[in-house]
Amino acid sequence: MKDVTPKSNLELILKAIGFAVAVVAIIALLKVAFYAFMSVAGWIIPLAIIYFLVVKFSDRD
């Protein structure tokens, strides 16, 4: 059953601030991860092409 006892304003404010800080921290971590990925994303296609050429023209049977 849902707790329907009234909460104090301080408790509600602390929960709201905690939730806001958690959301901002998650967004910041995702932003850092995105920038880290984008900094190396330009290497993905050239490395894939080099790997493809090495595998295609190697003399391994």
Side-chain angles (χ1 to χ4, degrees), residues 9-20:
N9 285 338
L10 179 62
E11 184 180 351
L12 292 174
I13 289 172
L14 289 176
K15 282 186 180 180
I17 290 173
F19 180 74

Side-chain angles (χ1 to χ4, degrees), residues 1 7 11-12 15 17-19 23-24 27 29 37 39 46-47 50 52 54 56 61:
M1 187 174 228
K7 306 278 186 205
E11 184 180 351
L12 292 174
K15 282 186 180 180
I17 290 173
F19 180 74
V23 168
V24 168
I27 290 171
L29 288 173
F37 172 76
S39 70
L47 288 175
I50 291 169
F52 171 75
V54 167
K56 182 175 172 84
D61 288 330

Side-chain angles (χ1 to χ4, degrees), residues 37-55:
F37 172 76
M38 291 307 292
S39 70
V40 296
W43 287 96
I44 293 174
I45 291 177
L47 288 175
I49 291 171
I50 291 169
Y51 178 75
F52 171 75
L53 292 174
V54 167
V55 170

